[in-house]
Amino acid sequence: MAATASFFKPETFSFRSFPSLFFPNTKTHCKKPTNLTFASAGENADTTDTDESKKPTQRKLSKQSSWEAKDDEGNDYLYVLGKESANMNIAVGARAGVIDDLFTGNFLGKDSDIVFDYRQKATRSFQYLQGDYYIAPAFMDKVVCHIVKNYVAHHINAKVPLILGIWGGKGQGKTFQTELIFRTMGVEPVIMSAGELESERAGEPGQLIRERYRTASQVVQNQGKLSCLMINDIDAGLGRFGYTQMTVNNQIVVGTLMNLCDNPTKVSVGQVWRENDITNRIPIIVTGNDFSTLYAPLIRDGRMEKFYWQPTQEDITNIVHRMYEKDGISKGDVEKIVQEFPNQALDFYGALRSRTYDKAILKWVEDSGGIDKLGNRLLKQKKDGKLPVFTPPEQTVEALLESGYSLVQEQKLITDTKLSKEYMKNVDD
């Protein structure tokens, strides 16, 4: 690096001095650059005469432009150079201490690539999880054990599944409980969703999984933090429902996950394979509602450890109490609410609190001038800071119970409609 740094001194170096060193296919002699002229729209674009009356519409690049340099096979020289390079880190030439000090300014900071940190941030942090939340002990034990087992797998004389599959009813807090555990353990995960498991390009989701897996490995290697790959609602992306067909991407994603389980330390993303390219073993956690819709060899015990999450009455009470604690609702009142609405998912009790805001929001709309031209008024007054202050409603057990009865009535209407449709379908058949 020292020799390279001294070679690139601006007072001793110019591209015109060594054209064949960077662009082998260009001639070693240099021509005097031609004056460039531009033509307005509508003039003849094919004119190359230098006559003032005929102005060209295209700008002719120099033959020594890097954009037109080709190698011996006719390929873009810079593309081939980057493809063959063993170091694909694009930040090497953009950081202070690497490039010449002459090109390092302070007006944009020491790094010339000011968006590099944002572009490389593929992991998830949990600063938004403010406050004290309840984590079910059984849930924590399963997730913590899975993560630790995979990081010490080389010390365990047993087969350690790479994937932990957490499944159960909808709205039971599977993802939220997992994120709380990540925050507690200091894990910086890479999180994917079911929508990323399909694409119009064949093979793209499979490659994305491998890239995200390697990104989590780089977190361990470069930052010294625990990491994992988490895929939410995997059955929505890979499950087979009714008469749906298996796409090529479904097959590739399943095959990619199975290959990761069988070879968790050698993961290729398409580059020429190097024997010294070893990836850290990264635990994978997936969530879903129905794993019976997944490809059976993927969920076999050697590859995936299954954990069915059904919170107990005590878990629900403790979680909801932490949810309502800042509103002054006692644990006894929470127990009363939970008993009044049994067999409900955890998100039901979160919806109760959200619905109690409806009346307060409608009153705030009236204070803002009513619904007439509300959109324009909201945008303009928000910009000017003239909107009336919103006062959150006082949470009471009576208000929460009233919201709960309303939600239960809506659930009943949806269920009755669904049953009616199924009945009519059976009658027609």
Side-chain angles (χ1 to χ4, degrees):
M1 289 298 295
T4 304
S6 61
F7 179 78
F8 280 88
K9 288 184 178 179
E11 64 271 13
T12 61
F13 171 79
S14 67
F15 284 100
R16 192 174 295 278
S17 303
F18 306 97
S20 61
L21 178 63
F22 293 91
F23 314 117
N25 292 332
T26 57
K27 297 181 180 180
T28 56
H29 65 276
C30 301
K31 295 181 179 180
K32 183 178 180 181
T34 304
N35 292 331
L36 302 178
T37 56
F38 300 87
S40 59
E43 294 182 349
N44 186 6
D46 297 328
T47 303
T48 57
D49 197 344
T50 57
D51 186 62
E52 290 294 328
S53 62
K54 299 180 180 180
K55 297 181 180 180
T57 58
Q58 288 186 343
R59 174 179 174 178
K60 185 178 179 180
L61 297 175
S62 169
K63 291 184 178 180
Q64 294 185 10
S65 169
S66 61
W67 300 108
E68 297 180 354
K70 305 292 182 181
D71 64 359
D72 294 336
E73 298 179 357
N75 298 318
D76 183 3
Y77 179 69
L78 294 182
Y79 171 76
V80 175
L81 183 65
K83 184 178 180 182
E84 294 176 351
S85 175
N87 186 1
M88 299 299 290
N89 188 351
I90 61 174
V92 168
R95 302 186 72 84
V98 178
I99 62 176
D100 195 293
D101 293 339
L102 176 65
F103 305 103
T104 305
N106 292 323
F107 56 94
L108 288 178
K110 289 296 184 181
D111 295 342
S112 60
D113 190 354
I114 60 176
V115 299
F116 175 76
D117 294 335
Y118 299 98
R119 182 169 58 247
Q120 297 295 314
K121 191 65 174 177
T123 56
R124 181 74 60 85
S125 57
F126 304 101
Q127 288 87 353
Y128 64 91
L129 294 178
Q130 301 294 330
D132 188 17
Y133 295 92
Y134 177 84
I135 304 176
F139 201 107
M140 173 174 278
D141 291 346
K142 183 61 67 173
V143 174
V144 171
C145 184
H146 176 73
I147 293 176
V148 173
K149 276 198 308 182
N150 275 276
Y151 276 101
V152 299
H154 55 287
H155 295 303
I156 300 177
N157 188 22
K159 176 68 174 178
V160 178
L162 186 69
I163 303 177
L164 171 63
I166 304 174
W167 66 293
K170 60 180 179 63
Q172 297 292 4
K174 297 181 288 294
T175 299
F176 187 63
Q177 287 280 296
T178 306
E179 292 180 348
L180 291 175
I181 296 173
F182 289 158
R183 185 189 67 168
T184 303
M185 294 182 63
V187 176
E188 190 167 318
V190 178
I191 298 182
M192 298 181 62
S193 65
E196 298 177 275
L197 303 182
E198 189 55 84
S199 173
E200 66 274 10
R201 298 182 179 91
E204 191 174 73
Q207 181 177 359
L208 180 61
I209 290 177
R210 295 191 295 271
E211 290 175 349
R212 298 287 177 85
Y213 186 90
R214 288 174 63 94
T215 299
S217 174
Q218 292 171 1
V219 171
V220 177
Q221 182 176 348
N222 300 334
Q223 302 182 30
K225 296 181 180 180
L226 293 176
S227 185
C228 71
L229 175 63
M230 183 172 180
I231 305 176
N232 288 316
D233 305 312
I234 190 172
D235 54 335
L238 296 182
R240 301 192 66 177
F241 302 93
Y243 299 100
T244 58
Q245 292 182 335
M246 195 76 161
T247 67
V248 173
N249 275 324
N250 293 154
Q251 297 173 353
I252 293 177
V253 168
V254 169
T256 297
L257 291 174
M258 293 170 61
N259 181 259
L260 289 175
C261 294
D262 300 335
N263 302 280
T265 59
K266 300 193 72 174
V267 182
S268 171
V269 291
Q271 79 279 17
V272 178
W273 189 258
R274 301 190 302 272
E275 290 298 328
N276 61 346
D277 187 4
I278 303 299
T279 307
N280 294 290
R281 182 187 179 104
I282 299 298
I284 300 176
I285 299 176
V286 300
T287 64
N289 300 122
D290 187 2
F291 282 179
S292 66
T293 62
L294 300 179
Y295 186 58
L298 173 62
I299 64 175
R300 69 176 178 85
D301 295 334
R303 294 190 175 108
M304 180 186 294
E305 181 178 1
K306 278 76 66 181
F307 172 56
Y308 180 75
W309 169 237
Q310 178 63 48
T312 63
Q313 191 78 0
E314 181 182 0
D315 291 331
I316 294 176
T317 301
N318 289 326
I319 293 173
V320 176
H321 177 235
R322 292 290 177 86
M323 190 188 306
Y324 292 164
E325 193 173 20
K326 56 186 176 182
D327 296 323
I329 305 297
S330 65
K331 189 172 183 178
D333 293 334
V334 170
E335 292 178 350
K336 179 180 178 182
I337 295 173
V338 172
Q339 292 175 0
E340 185 69 21
F341 306 106
N343 303 322
Q344 294 287 351
L346 281 170
D347 61 353
F348 174 85
Y349 303 101
L352 297 185
R353 186 173 181 274
S354 176
R355 180 156 292 199
T356 58
Y357 276 70
D358 291 354
K359 293 182 179 179
I361 290 177
L362 291 176
K363 183 179 183 303
W364 181 83
V365 170
E366 292 180 359
D367 296 340
S368 301
I371 62 174
D372 184 33
K373 299 180 180 179
L374 180 62
N376 293 332
R377 188 178 296 110
L378 282 175
L379 295 177
K380 292 180 180 179
Q381 292 186 358
K382 181 180 179 181
K383 183 178 180 181
D384 299 336
K386 298 179 181 179
L387 285 175
V389 178
F390 175 75
T391 304
E394 181 180 355
Q395 298 292 345
T396 62
V397 178
E398 292 73 17
L400 292 171
L401 290 175
E402 181 181 355
S403 299
Y405 295 139
S406 176
L407 286 174
V408 169
Q409 185 64 26
E410 289 182 1
Q411 291 177 346
K412 186 175 182 300
L413 290 174
I414 295 174
T415 303
D416 292 343
T417 302
K418 183 178 180 181
L419 293 175
S420 177
K421 290 182 178 180
E422 292 179 354
Y423 174 78
M424 295 301 298
K425 181 179 179 182
N426 293 332
V427 170
D428 294 338
D429 293 341

